Amino acid sequence: QVQLVESGGGLVQAGGSLRLSCAASGRARSAYLMGWFRQTPGKEREFVARITWSGGNIKYGGSVKDRFTISSDNAKNTVYLQMNSLLLEDTAVYYCAAGDIYGSFDYWGQGTQVTVSS
């Protein structure tokens, strides 16, 4: 069984911050990579960030680099996404995902809505 549960989404003003959490259990806990993606209606899913459970192999999507920080807590089976200096265009449903060493993400959470207002 795979379970990924996101939390921490909400409404925030532009320039503000939010921290998303992804609690992993089951087979997701043994995944090589953990990632965050986002999607808005009518657009393709966009890669945001990825990390290993040991905190390595970090990569960010170009639109969030230098503003977002991904981290993992092995003891708590949780991956975080700290989002700072939020922009209106960061509004999306954010999904947590678990993937393999090749970067193929096969397991997904239900998503959490992030809305940035002006």
Side-chain angles (χ1 to χ4, degrees):
Q1 185 178 1
V2 175
Q3 191 169 18
L4 296 167
V5 180
E6 303 98 332
S7 61
L11 176 65
V12 63
Q13 285 193 324
S17 299
L18 277 177
R19 189 177 80 156
L20 305 183
S21 300
C22 172
S25 61
R27 293 183 65 181
R29 186 56 188 88
S30 60
Y32 177 76
L33 282 173
M34 296 297 295
W36 287 97
F37 294 77
R38 66 186 183 186
Q39 190 168 24
T40 55
K43 292 187 177 181
E44 290 189 359
R45 187 169 57 206
E46 178 187 8
F47 168 75
V48 175
R50 73 176 193 201
I51 192 170
T52 64
W53 280 111
S54 61
N57 206 350
I58 293 176
K59 183 177 180 180
Y60 295 97
S63 61
V64 307
K65 197 175 181 182
D66 299 327
R67 298 188 298 121
F68 290 10
T69 302
I70 190 170
S71 61
S72 59
D73 188 327
N74 230 339
K76 295 183 178 179
N77 299 333
T78 302
V79 175
Y80 302 97
L81 184 69
Q82 177 67 43
M83 305 186 296
N84 298 329
S85 303
L86 283 162
L87 307 172
L88 297 179
E89 49 264 43
D90 292 320
T91 295
V93 177
Y94 284 71
Y95 296 93
C96 176
D100 61 22
I101 193 170
Y102 304 106
S104 177
F105 290 88
D106 297 321
Y107 305 111
W108 297 84
Q110 82 287 353
T112 185
Q113 176 71 47
V114 171
T115 302
V116 184
S117 65
S118 59

